[in-house]
Amino acid sequence: MRVTDLHATLPPAGLPGLDPSLSRLVDVPGAATDAGATRTWHVLDTGAALAERGVAPVGTIIAVHGNPTWSYLWRALVNASLQRAEIGGTPWRVVAVDQLEMGFSERSSLRRTLAQRIADLDALVGELGIRGPIVTIGHDWGGPVSLGWAVENRDRLAAVIALNTAVHHPDGAPLPFALRVATARGMLAAGTTGTTAFLDTTLSLADLEPAVRAAFRAPYATVSRRRGIGGFVADIPATAADESTPALRRLSAGLRELDVPALFLRGPKDPVFGEGHLDDLTERLPHADVHRFEGAGHLIAEERPYADVVLDWLDEKGVARVSGTAGAGAPASADAPVSDTADAAPTGHLWDALDARREDDETAVIDMTTTRDGAPLRVSWRRLSARVDEIAAGLDAFGVRAGDRVSLLVQPGPTLTAALYACLRIGAVVVVADRGLGIRGLSRAVRGAVPDVVIGEVAGLRGRALPPAPAPDADAAVLFTSGSTGPAKGVVYTHAQLTALRDTLASHFGVTADTGLVTGFAPFALLGPALGTRSATPDMDVSAPRTLTAAAVAAAVRASDARIVFLSPAAVANVVATAGALDADDRAALARVETFLSTGAPVSIDLLRRAQALMPNAVAHTPYGMTECLLVADVTLPEIEQAAGDRGVCVGRPLGTGQVRISAIDAEGRATGEPTTEAGVTGEIVISAPHLKRGYFRLYLTDREARRGLPARWHRTGDVGHLDADGRLWVEGRLPHVITTADGPVTPVGIEQDAETVDAVFRAAAVGVGPVGRQVVVAVVEAGARRPGLASPELTDAVRAATAQPLAAVLVAPTLPTDIRHNSKIDRSRLAAWADRLLAGEKPTVP
């Protein structure tokens, strides 16, 4: 049915996902400049449906669409709320409105400004008799309308939610390009009203089914029915002189006074509302929970399961209970499965050693990539401390303040070290996304962190007093994960947590001023000054660990007289492979090393043995950790050799006051068991430590999953493993890589270890093919094959004979796909999809 009438009407039947019984027309007295008129609204309202089910709602969610959508945008929230109410979940009434001049609501000749639309919404809420508690949710320009109403009705307000929106436009700043085109002279009427160009462009921002696309277009079939689209665009407050600017400024200022729970959901691929708009919202509501759905765009409600997110969040925040009405499904508090860990309160600051040695002319940092008079560049403690103060003063003079995010795009070396400590000293939050993410990953990480300042080369000022030191619980840094299990995630650390990391590292490994440190592992490359010991980074490409040679390590050890060497597993592999180039002086230098560490990914016993042979007087350690908690457990090579015989990789016992638990996995590979220290239980590794991260940057859902069922300061790692009878932790793989066979879940690492005992196999991966619960195990190996495909019968028999796990097939690939940062974390998910295609008969391709 083609709707052409300008009166309010019900939507046509048959629109996908829309229950016609929830549509209603409501006559509402006009408000503000529309006073004296009666306007008819179309709304989706679950109130009657709840009453028919005998369910009393705990409150009302008012959902406001933007331009050029209509209440159909909120159908998932409408449907999910009813489904939950039917099974005893918290019953929320949802009222999704069609703003006047939009959707299937009435058209009029009135030009509706932002202030008018807020008044219109208030009149509708009043006519419907909704007293509270009320939760508002808005998208696009429905954000300012819903938030504007929220600011003016705080007595009834329970929470606010917004999807891809904005409430502030800086004076003098241009509109986003898409809106500049839409508002250009000669284009506005033609593009928004005279044709469907604006509507078509908006709907093209998501991959919609044809029937869904047609449903969004249904209310806007004629020029006269599209005038509201043009009116919305024309009302965009782009300058101080625009009619709606005062209303926008009032509501944006009023947000600072809201103390109700707030949730912002964002699709980053939005050509209209950018990261800066989200940054502005979080600055006004700093307590808000934020989640960025990587890969989603402007029409996030059509691309991601936002409805479940919203309803779960309302339950988690206890909005209904706080508002005084406990819903049927309101979650009861439960005893935590594990106890809160008592953080050992670290003392001082990360830069204390710099301050203590500011008059010391001994070497602090050695830059092996830069030479002076034929020798590596050396920077003294005195010079480094002064340089930190100079850069800090310069940043302060430039206007960088505590809490500002600063991205350091500086080559590793003394300048980067000084810039990092300068930022920490003034309370700026350092964004560290190393080149090991690759160009694409690095760009996405930096954009997602929305830095306030990007530092390339650094200039300092002298003689300026520094601001007060930041508080221990202030954010200090955002470190990015490797991206080996999805898009790189920003991990937030406070000053106290970084200081706790320093203290744990110093205590466990006995670091003193005389120790000396050589590190080719990015996360620890900047900790030398914090530990108060000299440090050197070998001459290498930090974005490619495999470029590190044995000679480069020896040169760094010789230059720094270091007793500790810290390398990534991929770097260790190439160091061992290039050991033949070492001369007598190199070997003598390496013989003085007392402690050798490799972390970041599993390290084989054979590789550790070969590395220790180059440093014969060193104790080889392979600590277990992750970006979220850089040091969890530690084990030495002798301990590994004594513990041989178990499945997986032994990573030792927790460091310091850290704790480890195991949450058992079920038949579908989900970690559902109560965390335990019982030996032999295979499941997800759950950890706690004083130096555990504060959280993820703008990834509320990721944070929520990481602490699911746990008290504060605990974290689900996503790794699977078990504890043995002596309390040692064994890692068996990643939770998403657990293979769910008909006989139960199977972890991959033990199978891979078996396969790698075959002489022809350099590296192996075990993956699952088939439906969950009935998967079969397939081994994919690197064995010198030039072309991918089925392994030879001889190799297949040898691999099958090496493991007790039945294998459906053995496949070969020239190389196994790994992450960029470590060059060693195998992408098993990618291999599983490749194996599935190959075994289904597709032409073999490189995975």
Side-chain angles (χ1 to χ4, degrees):
M1 181 182 76
R2 188 168 186 264
V3 179
T4 60
D5 198 308
L6 301 185
H7 295 97
T9 184
L10 296 176
L15 300 183
L18 187 65
D19 183 349
S21 70
L22 301 179
S23 279
R24 62 182 291 200
L25 300 179
V26 184
D27 292 331
V28 180
T33 57
D34 208 16
T38 297
R39 302 300 182 191
T40 304
W41 294 62
H42 167 254
V43 301
L44 302 176
D45 187 354
T46 65
L50 289 173
E52 290 173 3
R53 293 162 171 77
V55 176
V58 299
T60 302
I61 301 172
I62 304 292
V64 187
H65 67 84
N67 188 31
T69 57
W70 56 287
S71 57
Y72 185 70
L73 181 78
W74 304 112
R75 66 195 182 282
L77 180 60
V78 168
N79 295 334
S81 67
L82 282 177
Q83 291 165 3
R84 292 194 178 203
E86 288 173 347
I87 61 174
T90 308
W92 286 95
R93 177 186 181 185
V94 178
V95 176
V97 309
D98 283 1
Q99 298 198 58
L100 292 174
E101 324 300 336
M102 301 292 288
F104 290 97
S105 286
E106 180 178 337
R107 275 28 176 201
S108 73
S109 60
L110 186 66
R111 181 172 181 272
R112 297 190 184 274
T113 62
L114 174 58
Q116 180 63 49
R117 290 193 175 279
I118 294 171
D120 291 339
L121 181 61
D122 188 57
L124 172 67
V125 172
E127 183 63 27
L128 292 174
I130 302 172
R131 294 181 176 83
I134 292 175
V135 175
T136 66
I137 181 171
H139 170 255
D140 186 84
W141 293 107
V145 176
S146 62
L147 292 171
W149 185 91
V151 166
E152 295 178 4
N153 293 273
R154 300 175 200 177
D155 57 327
R156 288 180 283 174
L157 190 66
V160 294
I161 305 169
L163 286 62
N164 283 53
T165 192
V167 296
H168 174 69
H169 185 74
D171 291 341
L175 288 172
F177 177 76
L179 293 183
R180 293 205 302 274
V181 172
T183 57
R185 181 174 298 180
M187 288 293 294
L188 195 155
T192 61
T193 304
T195 70
T196 60
F198 187 83
L199 176 61
D200 295 340
T201 299
T202 301
L203 296 179
S204 72
L205 298 177
D207 185 16
L208 304 177
E209 294 290 335
V212 171
R213 189 182 303 272
F216 274 113
R217 294 171 60 91
Y220 304 115
T222 66
V223 169
S224 57
R225 290 193 62 83
R226 289 193 294 270
R227 285 177 184 153
I229 296 176
F232 245 127
V233 175
D235 187 51
I236 293 173
T239 71
D242 288 327
E243 189 172 0
S244 284
T245 296
L248 188 67
R249 288 178 173 174
R250 281 196 302 275
L251 81 89
S252 61
L255 287 179
R256 298 183 187 279
E257 301 174 15
L258 290 186
D259 57 2
V260 297
L263 174 65
F264 299 137
L265 304 178
R266 169 165 167 76
K269 295 171 64 175
D270 190 334
V272 178
F273 300 106
E275 295 292 341
H277 293 119
L278 177 61
D279 218 26
D280 174 74
L281 281 165
T282 58
E283 190 272 330
R284 296 173 191 279
L285 289 170
H287 66 279
D289 292 311
V290 181
H291 190 83
R292 299 171 72 256
F293 288 96
E294 194 65 48
H298 179 71
L299 291 175
I300 183 176
E302 298 297 317
E303 299 180 273
R304 295 294 186 270
Y306 82 96
D308 287 332
V309 173
V310 165
L311 296 172
D312 287 345
W313 178 81
L314 290 173
D315 277 349
E316 179 184 304
K317 295 298 178 182
V319 172
R321 298 194 306 277
V322 170
S323 302
T325 52
S333 60
D335 291 335
V338 290
S339 61
D340 283 311
T341 182
D343 285 4
T347 58
H349 302 93
L350 206 63
W351 57 88
D352 285 346
L354 275 171
D355 287 348
R357 303 189 68 173
R358 64 171 53 250
E359 304 299 326
D360 192 337
D361 290 317
E362 293 294 319
T363 299
V365 177
I366 302 170
D367 184 358
M368 301 300 295
T369 65
T370 303
T371 59
R372 295 280 175 85
D373 299 325
L377 174 65
R378 293 174 178 269
V379 179
S380 69
W381 290 99
R382 182 192 300 273
R383 180 63 187 129
L384 181 61
S385 180
R387 186 61 171 150
V388 168
D389 287 350
E390 291 169 1
I391 296 173
L395 293 173
D396 184 58
F398 186 71
V400 178
R401 295 292 178 261
D404 286 350
R405 290 185 297 279
V406 178
S407 179
L408 299 177
L409 300 183
V410 181
Q411 290 290 338
T415 299
L416 175 59
T417 301
L420 181 138
Y421 283 91
C423 290
L424 295 175
R425 174 60 186 82
I426 65 173
V429 180
V430 180
V431 177
V432 181
D434 65 79
R435 288 192 296 153
L437 296 176
I439 297 299
R440 186 175 179 183
L442 177 61
S443 299
R444 181 171 55 219
V446 172
R447 285 198 308 271
V450 203
D452 300 288
V453 178
V454 176
I455 296 180
E457 290 303 322
V458 183
L461 296 177
R462 295 178 180 269
R464 183 183 178 93
L466 296 180
D473 60 353
D475 289 349
V478 179
L479 312 182
F480 278 84
T481 62
S482 68
S484 60
T485 56
K489 300 180 287 290
V491 178
V492 181
Y493 277 89
T494 66
H495 284 268
Q497 289 153 9
L498 289 182
T499 302
L501 172 64
R502 175 203 66 190
D503 294 347
T504 299
L505 188 63
S507 173
H508 184 74
F509 295 106
V511 181
T512 69
D514 297 325
T515 300
L517 174 67
V518 167
T519 174
F521 185 55
F524 290 97
L526 299 166
L527 274 177
L531 293 165
T533 194
R534 62 191 174 280
S535 60
T537 300
D539 188 0
M540 63 180 293
D541 180 353
V542 293
S543 66
R546 285 179 175 173
T547 63
L548 181 60
T549 65
V553 174
V557 170
R558 188 164 49 246
S560 61
D561 193 23
R563 296 295 182 264
I564 296 180
V565 173
F566 208 145
L567 305 176
S568 73
V572 174
N574 199 58
V575 166
V576 169
T578 58
L582 294 173
D583 60 24
D585 288 342
D586 293 333
R587 293 185 181 276
L590 293 176
R592 293 196 295 273
V593 175
E594 298 172 356
T595 303
F596 161 67
L597 301 90
S598 185
T599 189
V603 185
S604 70
I605 294 179
D606 179 64
L607 185 58
L608 282 176
R609 288 170 177 158
R610 294 166 67 193
Q612 187 166 26
L614 299 178
M615 295 170 271
N617 297 311
V619 176
H621 293 252
T622 175
Y624 167 66
M626 58 220 64
T627 309
E628 293 86 346
C629 188
L630 292 168
L631 290 173
V632 175
D634 182 41
V635 67
T636 65
L637 177 57
E639 290 171 334
I640 294 174
E641 292 174 325
Q642 293 170 7
D646 216 328
R647 305 288 283 175
V649 176
C650 181
V651 296
R653 298 177 179 84
L655 276 74
T657 60
Q659 300 181 58
V660 172
R661 302 284 187 273
I662 303 295
S663 173
I665 51 178
D666 61 19
E668 295 184 354
R670 301 172 303 184
T672 55
E674 181 173 315
T676 180
T677 57
E678 182 181 347
V681 174
T682 296
E684 184 176 19
I685 299 168
V686 178
I687 63 172
S688 180
H691 49 280
L692 177 68
K693 60 157 176 61
R694 178 183 66 76
Y696 292 103
F697 183 73
R698 294 183 177 175
L699 291 172
Y700 158 73
L701 295 180
T702 309
D703 260 330
R704 189 177 72 184
E705 175 57 26
R707 64 176 188 270
R708 174 175 52 86
L710 305 174
R713 306 297 300 138
W714 282 83
H715 172 74
R716 292 183 176 272
T717 65
D719 289 335
V720 289
H722 68 274
L723 294 167
D724 65 19
D726 293 319
R728 291 173 300 219
L729 176 63
W730 295 73
V731 178
E732 301 179 55
R734 293 285 298 167
L735 190 61
H737 302 157
V738 170
I739 304 164
T740 57
T741 72
D743 296 324
V746 174
T747 55
V749 170
I751 304 168
E752 294 164 357
Q753 290 172 322
D754 293 339
E756 288 168 1
T757 64
V758 176
D759 289 341
V761 174
F762 169 66
R763 186 159 52 177
V767 300
V769 172
V772 173
R774 297 196 300 278
Q775 289 183 323
V776 294
V777 182
V778 174
V780 185
V781 301
E782 282 184 27
R786 300 178 62 182
R787 295 177 179 174
L790 291 171
S792 68
E794 295 79 13
L795 180 58
T796 298
D797 289 344
V799 173
R800 281 177 168 158
T803 181
Q805 176 64 45
L807 300 177
V810 178
L811 307 179
V812 293
T815 59
L816 302 185
T818 62
D819 66 302
I820 297 173
R821 178 184 287 173
H822 301 288
N823 296 140
S824 58
K825 292 184 178 180
I826 298 172
D827 190 340
R828 296 190 188 94
S829 297
R830 180 174 162 185
L831 278 177
W834 171 79
D836 187 57
R837 294 193 302 270
L838 191 149
L839 294 175
E842 291 189 14
K843 182 179 179 180
T845 59
V846 176

mmCIF file of all heavy atoms in Angstrom, residues 10 41 68 147 165 178 295 297 315 325 338 378 497 569 658-659 741 745 767 775 792 796:
data_model
loop_
_atom_site.group_PDB
_atom_site.id
_atom_site.type_symbol
_atom_site.label_atom_id
_atom_site.label_comp_id
_atom_site.label_asym_id
_atom_site.label_seq_id
_atom_site.Cartn_x
_atom_site.Cartn_y
_atom_site.Cartn_z
ATOM 1 N N LEU A 10 -2.019 4.367 10.290
ATOM 2 C CA LEU A 10 -1.284 3.185 10.728
ATOM 3 C C LEU A 10 -0.414 2.670 9.594
ATOM 4 O O LEU A 10 -0.763 2.813 8.418
ATOM 5 C CB LEU A 10 -2.264 2.094 11.178
ATOM 6 C CG LEU A 10 -3.126 2.423 12.400
ATOM 7 C CD1 LEU A 10 -4.114 1.302 12.660
ATOM 8 C CD2 LEU A 10 -2.258 2.662 13.630
ATOM 9 N N TRP A 41 -0.301 11.489 16.504
ATOM 10 C CA TRP A 41 0.976 10.779 16.436
ATOM 11 C C TRP A 41 0.731 9.300 16.134
ATOM 12 O O TRP A 41 -0.258 8.710 16.582
ATOM 13 C CB TRP A 41 1.708 10.837 17.766
ATOM 14 C CG TRP A 41 2.181 12.173 18.223
ATOM 15 C CD1 TRP A 41 1.426 13.268 18.510
ATOM 16 C CD2 TRP A 41 3.541 12.544 18.494
ATOM 17 N NE1 TRP A 41 2.212 14.304 18.945
ATOM 18 C CE2 TRP A 41 3.516 13.895 18.945
ATOM 19 C CE3 TRP A 41 4.751 11.885 18.412
ATOM 20 C CZ2 TRP A 41 4.675 14.581 19.304
ATOM 21 C CZ3 TRP A 41 5.907 12.553 18.770
ATOM 22 C CH2 TRP A 41 5.866 13.899 19.208
ATOM 23 N N PRO A 68 16.418 10.057 8.309
ATOM 24 C CA PRO A 68 15.005 10.048 7.905
ATOM 25 C C PRO A 68 14.333 8.710 8.222
ATOM 26 O O PRO A 68 13.687 8.118 7.348
ATOM 27 C CB PRO A 68 15.124 10.237 6.399
ATOM 28 C CG PRO A 68 16.349 9.448 6.038
ATOM 29 C CD PRO A 68 17.256 9.475 7.248
ATOM 30 N N LEU A 147 17.367 13.512 24.652
ATOM 31 C CA LEU A 147 18.196 14.025 25.735
ATOM 32 C C LEU A 147 17.709 15.400 26.193
ATOM 33 O O LEU A 147 17.805 15.737 27.377
ATOM 34 C CB LEU A 147 19.652 14.090 25.301
ATOM 35 C CG LEU A 147 20.323 12.723 25.075
ATOM 36 C CD1 LEU A 147 21.698 12.898 24.423
ATOM 37 C CD2 LEU A 147 20.461 11.965 26.394
ATOM 38 N N THR A 165 24.955 9.806 17.830
ATOM 39 C CA THR A 165 24.291 11.100 17.891
ATOM 40 C C THR A 165 25.290 12.166 18.310
ATOM 41 O O THR A 165 26.482 11.904 18.479
ATOM 42 C CB THR A 165 23.102 11.047 18.868
ATOM 43 O OG1 THR A 165 22.299 12.220 18.716
ATOM 44 C CG2 THR A 165 23.572 10.928 20.313
ATOM 45 N N ALA A 178 28.887 14.914 4.604
ATOM 46 C CA ALA A 178 27.581 14.457 4.136
ATOM 47 C C ALA A 178 26.498 15.489 4.397
ATOM 48 O O ALA A 178 25.598 15.697 3.566
ATOM 49 C CB ALA A 178 27.224 13.126 4.815
ATOM 50 N N GLY A 295 33.226 -2.016 13.036
ATOM 51 C CA GLY A 295 32.668 -2.466 11.763
ATOM 52 C C GLY A 295 31.256 -1.986 11.506
ATOM 53 O O GLY A 295 30.781 -2.029 10.369
ATOM 54 N N GLY A 297 28.114 0.948 11.447
ATOM 55 C CA GLY A 297 28.060 2.325 10.981
ATOM 56 C C GLY A 297 26.914 3.109 11.571
ATOM 57 O O GLY A 297 26.472 2.853 12.698
ATOM 58 N N ASP A 315 19.117 -4.041 33.332
ATOM 59 C CA ASP A 315 19.115 -4.996 34.444
ATOM 60 C C ASP A 315 20.384 -4.864 35.278
ATOM 61 O O ASP A 315 20.340 -4.840 36.511
ATOM 62 C CB ASP A 315 19.009 -6.425 33.904
ATOM 63 C CG ASP A 315 17.581 -6.839 33.596
ATOM 64 O OD1 ASP A 315 16.654 -6.107 34.000
ATOM 65 O OD2 ASP A 315 17.388 -7.876 32.944
ATOM 66 N N THR A 325 10.874 0.169 41.846
ATOM 67 C CA THR A 325 9.955 -0.896 41.480
ATOM 68 C C THR A 325 10.746 -2.082 40.998
ATOM 69 O O THR A 325 11.370 -2.028 39.953
ATOM 70 C CB THR A 325 9.002 -0.435 40.362
ATOM 71 O OG1 THR A 325 9.788 0.100 39.289
ATOM 72 C CG2 THR A 325 8.035 0.611 40.869
ATOM 73 N N VAL A 338 34.202 -15.978 43.426
ATOM 74 C CA VAL A 338 35.558 -15.805 43.946
ATOM 75 C C VAL A 338 35.578 -14.520 44.739
ATOM 76 O O VAL A 338 34.768 -13.631 44.549
ATOM 77 C CB VAL A 338 36.601 -15.738 42.816
ATOM 78 C CG1 VAL A 338 36.764 -17.089 42.158
ATOM 79 C CG2 VAL A 338 36.238 -14.701 41.784
ATOM 80 N N ARG A 378 74.247 7.221 24.112
ATOM 81 C CA ARG A 378 73.944 7.007 25.518
ATOM 82 C C ARG A 378 73.320 8.266 26.104
ATOM 83 O O ARG A 378 73.799 9.369 25.850
ATOM 84 C CB ARG A 378 75.208 6.659 26.302
ATOM 85 C CG ARG A 378 75.813 5.312 25.917
ATOM 86 C CD ARG A 378 77.146 5.066 26.615
ATOM 87 N NE ARG A 378 77.676 3.760 26.275
ATOM 88 C CZ ARG A 378 77.434 2.651 26.978
ATOM 89 N NH1 ARG A 378 76.707 2.728 28.085
ATOM 90 N NH2 ARG A 378 77.936 1.496 26.590
ATOM 91 N N GLN A 497 48.099 1.065 38.798
ATOM 92 C CA GLN A 497 48.275 -0.255 38.197
ATOM 93 C C GLN A 497 49.621 -0.367 37.484
ATOM 94 O O GLN A 497 50.267 -1.415 37.534
ATOM 95 C CB GLN A 497 47.109 -0.546 37.262
ATOM 96 C CG GLN A 497 45.810 -0.809 38.027
ATOM 97 C CD GLN A 497 44.561 -0.474 37.248
ATOM 98 O OE1 GLN A 497 44.602 -0.183 36.055
ATOM 99 N NE2 GLN A 497 43.425 -0.507 37.922
ATOM 100 N N PRO A 569 58.688 -14.248 21.607
ATOM 101 C CA PRO A 569 58.978 -15.572 21.056
ATOM 102 C C PRO A 569 59.459 -15.536 19.605
ATOM 103 O O PRO A 569 60.387 -16.277 19.242
ATOM 104 C CB PRO A 569 57.638 -16.298 21.177
ATOM 105 C CG PRO A 569 56.969 -15.626 22.327
ATOM 106 C CD PRO A 569 57.351 -14.192 22.219
ATOM 107 N N GLY A 658 49.114 -12.067 42.895
ATOM 108 C CA GLY A 658 48.156 -12.445 41.862
ATOM 109 C C GLY A 658 47.495 -13.782 42.147
ATOM 110 O O GLY A 658 48.022 -14.619 42.905
ATOM 111 N N GLN A 659 46.317 -13.990 41.562
ATOM 112 C CA GLN A 659 45.567 -15.223 41.757
ATOM 113 C C GLN A 659 45.082 -15.742 40.414
ATOM 114 O O GLN A 659 44.815 -14.976 39.487
ATOM 115 C CB GLN A 659 44.355 -14.994 42.669
ATOM 116 C CG GLN A 659 44.702 -14.489 44.059
ATOM 117 C CD GLN A 659 43.458 -14.309 44.907
ATOM 118 O OE1 GLN A 659 42.699 -15.245 45.133
ATOM 119 N NE2 GLN A 659 43.235 -13.089 45.371
ATOM 120 N N THR A 741 33.568 -31.658 20.078
ATOM 121 C CA THR A 741 33.292 -32.933 19.426
ATOM 122 C C THR A 741 32.093 -33.609 20.090
ATOM 123 O O THR A 741 31.621 -33.190 21.154
ATOM 124 C CB THR A 741 34.501 -33.869 19.512
ATOM 125 O OG1 THR A 741 34.632 -34.343 20.863
ATOM 126 C CG2 THR A 741 35.780 -33.144 19.099
ATOM 127 N N PRO A 745 34.373 -31.431 24.726
ATOM 128 C CA PRO A 745 35.268 -30.386 24.223
ATOM 129 C C PRO A 745 36.725 -30.831 24.220
ATOM 130 O O PRO A 745 37.169 -31.566 25.097
ATOM 131 C CB PRO A 745 35.041 -29.231 25.210
ATOM 132 C CG PRO A 745 34.559 -29.888 26.469
ATOM 133 C CD PRO A 745 33.787 -31.092 26.030
ATOM 134 N N VAL A 767 42.196 -27.629 14.567
ATOM 135 C CA VAL A 767 40.971 -26.841 14.426
ATOM 136 C C VAL A 767 39.769 -27.761 14.323
ATOM 137 O O VAL A 767 39.897 -28.952 14.004
ATOM 138 C CB VAL A 767 41.035 -25.921 13.180
ATOM 139 C CG1 VAL A 767 42.201 -24.953 13.286
ATOM 140 C CG2 VAL A 767 41.139 -26.743 11.885
ATOM 141 N N GLN A 775 31.673 -31.383 16.069
ATOM 142 C CA GLN A 775 32.838 -31.061 15.259
ATOM 143 C C GLN A 775 33.817 -32.232 15.224
ATOM 144 O O GLN A 775 33.869 -33.049 16.141
ATOM 145 C CB GLN A 775 33.544 -29.819 15.822
ATOM 146 C CG GLN A 775 32.778 -28.527 15.612
ATOM 147 C CD GLN A 775 33.541 -27.322 16.115
ATOM 148 O OE1 GLN A 775 34.229 -27.391 17.132
ATOM 149 N NE2 GLN A 775 33.418 -26.210 15.417
ATOM 150 N N SER A 792 50.161 -35.696 2.330
ATOM 151 C CA SER A 792 50.447 -36.983 1.708
ATOM 152 C C SER A 792 50.008 -38.103 2.645
ATOM 153 O O SER A 792 49.927 -37.905 3.869
ATOM 154 C CB SER A 792 51.939 -37.101 1.416
ATOM 155 O OG SER A 792 52.655 -37.176 2.637
ATOM 156 N N THR A 796 50.198 -37.925 6.691
ATOM 157 C CA THR A 796 48.941 -38.086 7.428
ATOM 158 C C THR A 796 49.062 -39.208 8.451
ATOM 159 O O THR A 796 48.678 -39.053 9.619
ATOM 160 C CB THR A 796 47.783 -38.388 6.455
ATOM 161 O OG1 THR A 796 47.617 -37.286 5.572
ATOM 162 C CG2 THR A 796 46.491 -38.637 7.211
#
